[in-house]
Every structure is written in structure tokens, then in C-alpha cells.
Amino acid sequence: MFGFFESKPVEPQVTHSDDMPTLTGWRPFKVMHRQEACANTILLTLMPADDLPLPPFRPGQSVALRLPGLDPRAYTLCSTHEEGFYRLCIKMFEGDRGELSSLICRTLHVGEHVDISEPFGGFLLKDAETPVVMIAEGIGITPMVAMLSSIATDHPLRRVHMIYVTKNGDTFPLRDETKQLMHLIPDSGLAVGYTDPRPDDHLGQDYQFTGKLMPATLRTACLDPTADVYLCGSQSFVEDVQSMILQYRTIPADHIHSQIFVRNH
């Protein structure tokens, strides 16, 4: 087994949320519902304003949004095509990098329109029965929710491990939905880590570990060489976790699928 990995020069598959292709298929979409997903983060439900069907898309893919005067920015869909609408979880960021996100959070309300591109991206859930390991940080949970929904509907007997790291209960978007979807998958487990828990966050109930993701916690989810790993978060988080998984020499590099949401500068 060790020789197999040493002799196979394969790199993990990494995509970046800000590496966008030539954007096509722009259409107006109407905001049908808006709610707070968690602190500084909103959840938008959008439907085509031109009454045409949604284009096909797969769990893990993204769309780009644009507003006048600002460059488009990609956002990962947290809904599936079968749901019949787009759902986007958008977090406010500081600085120029987050200008569009902040403007959307401040000004885009129910009934208003926004231009959205066709779906794109290669961070895709494999349509298979093999085990899945999902590891996410912060807003990186959004593609995982779409993937969980797809698994719960199409392959509910698939084994799923999820590890999620965020600051505390205030910064856990789609928390209830994530837990509900995990309950629909009988052979599943969720481990949540808070790096700075609130006084009313309860260890063992709201979260399972404190601080950064440690090798021992990660290793328990990465024991099956047939599993596919889906990893999403900041560049430092993705690189650190990816490095730990490869050191275990259990899961091949070409089974590790990563998306970096925010590049380090």
C-alpha cells in the first residue's frame, strides 16, 4: 500500500472560488426569500425573473453574481437542481475583496433582481455509493449542504463523515439544516469544532472539540482508502488538512477534492 502511493505522482484536485471561467448565460433572478443564516451572513432564495427553467447544475458548483460598477464574484450553491431554485449563503467580508458581498448583504432584498451567470465549477460530488468525508471551515460548509442533500435523496445508505470548524455557534450557517440532513443518512457522523466557543455553547452537545482541527480527530474519518474527501475553506486550512491526510497514506491523492474560498495574501 505504501509503495502504491509513493509510485503514483498524483496531486489532489484543488479549485479556487475566485478562479472563474469566462462567464456566460447571464440572466436576471428575483430574490424570493431572505433570512439571516448566522452572524454577518445571509441566505438568499432566488428564482429566474424571466420565467425560464433553471439551467442544470450539480452539487458543489457555483454561480457568479454581478451588480453595476463591481466585478462579478462567485458563490457556491447550497441547493440542488431538484429543489427548483438557487440558494446562496453570502457572508460579509471587509476590504475590497468583500465589496460585492457586503453590498449584496446590505442592499439586496425580497422582490429585487440581480444578474446571475450559468453554473460552473469542478468541485463536484461523485455520483457513487463509496464513502464520503466532508471537511469544511466557516462559509466553506455551503457546498457540503448541497452535497448532503443530494446524498440524502439519491444515496441515503452512503457512509458520510463530516468535520466542520468555525468560531462558535454564532458563525455556523445552515446549522439546523446540516444536522437534519445528517439524520437522514443513517451511516453518518458529524464532528463540530469551535475555535472560540461562547459561554452558552455546550461541549458534547453543540460541538465536539475546541480549537484547530487536530490530526487525531481527522484521522478517525480518513481510514477508508475507497473514500472521497471533499475539503473546503481558506487556503491555509485546506493546505494544512490536505497535508495531514496525505501523511496518513490511506486515502489516495486523487480522492481528495478541495475548494479554496479565500486565498491567503
Side-chain angles (χ1 to χ4, degrees):
M1 182 63 71
F2 275 53
F4 170 78
F5 288 114
E6 289 171 353
S7 65
K8 190 174 182 182
V10 176
E11 295 294 327
Q13 302 171 20
V14 181
T15 62
H16 296 83
S17 64
D18 52 356
D19 287 345
M20 291 189 290
T22 300
L23 299 171
T24 59
W26 289 100
R27 295 167 55 188
F29 276 70
K30 183 177 181 179
V31 179
M32 307 302 295
H33 185 66
R34 172 188 166 124
Q35 67 185 78
E36 183 176 297
C38 67
N40 298 318
T41 305
I42 63 168
L43 178 64
L44 297 178
T45 301
L46 304 110
M47 294 192 66
D50 54 15
D51 296 325
L52 296 175
L54 283 178
F57 63 93
R58 293 172 59 186
Q61 289 196 296
S62 302
V63 293
L65 273 64
R66 66 182 181 188
L67 291 174
L70 295 175
D71 291 334
R73 182 173 173 84
Y75 300 95
T76 302
L77 293 158
C78 54
S79 54
T80 64
H81 187 264
E82 290 70 23
E83 293 175 64
F85 46 77
Y86 287 164
R87 286 196 311 151
L88 297 171
C89 213
I90 300 178
K91 179 179 179 179
M92 294 183 67
F93 288 99
E94 296 180 356
D96 293 341
R97 179 175 52 81
E99 190 174 2
L100 180 61
S101 297
S102 296
L103 186 61
I104 289 171
C105 290
R106 293 196 313 268
T107 66
L108 196 61
H109 298 284
V110 172
E112 296 180 333
H113 291 186
V114 61
D115 286 344
I116 301 182
S117 74
E118 286 183 339
F120 60 89
F123 186 62
L124 303 173
L125 176 67
K126 284 187 179 179
D127 186 13
E129 296 286 351
T130 50
V132 170
V133 179
M134 300 179 182
I135 306 166
E137 172 199 41
I139 198 66
I141 198 170
T142 52
M144 308 307 183
V145 171
M147 292 180 182
L148 283 175
S149 180
S150 178
I151 291 171
T153 301
D154 299 329
H155 300 287
L157 299 183
R158 200 170 183 179
R159 186 163 73 249
V160 177
H161 290 285
M162 174 181 274
I163 301 174
Y164 177 61
V165 180
T166 188
K167 183 177 180 180
N168 53 46
D170 282 339
T171 61
F172 190 159
L174 307 171
R175 174 176 50 192
D176 292 342
E177 183 174 351
T178 298
K179 293 182 177 181
Q180 290 167 5
L181 288 170
M182 294 295 286
H183 283 307
L184 296 176
I185 305 170
D187 192 3
S188 67
L190 172 64
V192 176
Y194 286 167
T195 59
D196 185 19
R198 305 170 303 184
D200 59 344
D201 288 326
H202 302 291
L203 182 62
Q205 178 179 337
D206 300 313
Y207 64 105
Q208 285 66 51
F209 63 94
T210 306
K212 67 182 296 185
L213 177 57
M214 301 302 291
T217 302
L218 180 61
R219 187 161 195 163
T220 59
C222 297
L223 298 176
D224 191 333
T226 69
D228 279 283
V229 176
Y230 297 89
L231 175 58
C232 189
S234 66
Q235 183 171 345
S236 59
F237 178 83
V238 167
E239 290 176 350
D240 288 348
V241 173
Q242 193 168 265
S243 176
M244 285 191 284
I245 295 173
L246 292 174
Q247 288 176 16
Y248 301 150
R249 295 178 178 266
T250 303
I251 296 177
D254 58 354
H255 282 218
I256 303 174
H257 317 276
S258 303
Q259 177 163 274
I260 294 172
F261 262 17
V262 180
R263 291 179 188 258
N264 291 344
H265 296 286

